[in-house]
Amino acid sequence: MLGYQANAQWRDMSDFVVHFTKPGPPYHDAYQNMMSILGARTLIPGAEGFGIARREAKVADRSRSVCFSEIPIDQLGRLVQRRSLYGIAFRKSFILSQGGGPVWYVQYGSPAHLAMKHQLDQALAAKEPHKEPVWAVTPFVDIQGDAHNAPYSYRFDWEREWRVPGLLRFTEYDVAALFLPEEVHTLAQDFFAWAVRERAGPGYFCPVLDPGWKEAQIAEALAKHAEAPPSSWTERKSAPG
């Protein structure tokens, strides 16, 4: 899982994207929020939209998206500081199959920005703005600038963001890895085993990683998971207690 497109030495890229939960409703706890998402098999976008059209009231619903980062999974420290220690990783191929993709970071005032603004103005002036095709693009376009470029005076291209417009439904087999602090790994794994055994919910038996681990620790955990016999999780799921 480390590297890119089967090239282990391509460490600046990744085949995966990660969604980190944050403290807040409904449970006010990042761990519980993650477990709620996994139980529902659904990522729901927040009320705030994303992209170049997020402030356009006529099409506000078209901007609501679920967000991910393609930062390599052993280099997540900066992202964890902004979010939490709890994350869900998916393969990029799955996100692409669900209509998602990478964000395009466009410089404020550039020809690309002005061209996009012209397209937005034309779409908003149309007889039925909501039906204009440009809104399929706008959630993936972020305008960024410097301190004097209000309201776009920020730069978050370091997050290497991906988005899926609308909600994202998935199965337990679509999740590539889970990120949690090491001290709760066993707790989470035992919970998933109980959920399957009692038919109380889905079980996630993918690799469980700590986002603070170094490259060697992550590589070792992934190797151990890959080498585990198929019966190991079956035994754990069926064990009493």
Side-chain angles (χ1 to χ4, degrees), residues 20 22-23 76-85 158 211:
F20 278 91
K22 293 195 297 184
L76 296 169
R78 189 175 177 186
L79 191 63
V80 164
Q81 289 180 358
R82 287 188 58 86
R83 300 292 192 274
S84 75
L85 294 166
W158 62 269

Side-chain angles (χ1 to χ4, degrees), residues 49-233:
F50 294 92
I52 190 173
R54 67 186 184 277
R55 295 185 176 91
E56 301 296 343
K58 291 182 181 179
V59 291
D61 61 312
R62 301 294 296 272
S63 297
R64 297 178 65 223
S65 307
V66 178
C67 302
F68 305 85
S69 171
E70 66 166 320
I71 295 174
I73 61 175
D74 62 324
Q75 301 174 34
L76 296 169
R78 189 175 177 186
L79 191 63
V80 164
Q81 289 180 358
R82 287 188 58 86
R83 300 292 192 274
S84 75
L85 294 166
Y86 303 95
I88 307 169
F90 298 90
R91 291 186 176 275
K92 285 180 177 177
S93 56
F94 172 70
I95 298 300
L96 289 169
S97 75
Q98 302 303 302
V103 169
W104 179 24
Y105 299 98
V106 177
Q107 176 64 31
Y108 177 85
S110 67
H113 175 206
L114 298 179
M116 283 297 304
K117 187 177 184 304
H118 177 69
Q119 292 294 317
L120 264 62
D121 291 342
Q122 285 191 320
L124 290 168
K127 185 176 180 180
E128 296 183 274
H130 200 271
K131 294 183 179 180
E132 292 296 303
V134 71
W135 312 125
V137 178
T138 54
F140 298 102
V141 181
D142 268 6
I143 307 302
Q144 60 178 13
D146 299 314
H148 59 283
N149 297 140
Y152 303 107
S153 55
Y154 64 90
R155 292 186 179 276
F156 284 124
D157 48 344
W158 62 269
E159 290 194 14
R160 297 166 66 168
E161 194 169 349
W162 281 49
R163 291 176 187 150
V164 175
L167 57 78
L168 175 67
R169 298 190 186 279
F170 57 88
T171 73
E172 51 270 49
Y173 308 106
D174 296 318
V175 175
L178 297 177
F179 286 93
L180 308 96
E182 185 174 4
E183 59 267 24
V184 297
H185 283 189
T186 299
L187 175 67
Q189 291 169 325
D190 287 347
F191 172 80
F192 292 133
W194 170 86
V196 171
R197 186 169 63 247
E198 300 298 324
R199 299 182 180 179
Y204 292 83
F205 305 120
C206 54
V208 180
L209 311 171
D210 187 314
W213 283 350
K214 302 299 184 183
E215 177 183 348
Q217 292 172 287
I218 291 177
E220 180 182 3
L222 296 175
K224 285 183 178 179
H225 187 274
E227 294 169 359
S231 61
S232 62
W233 276 113

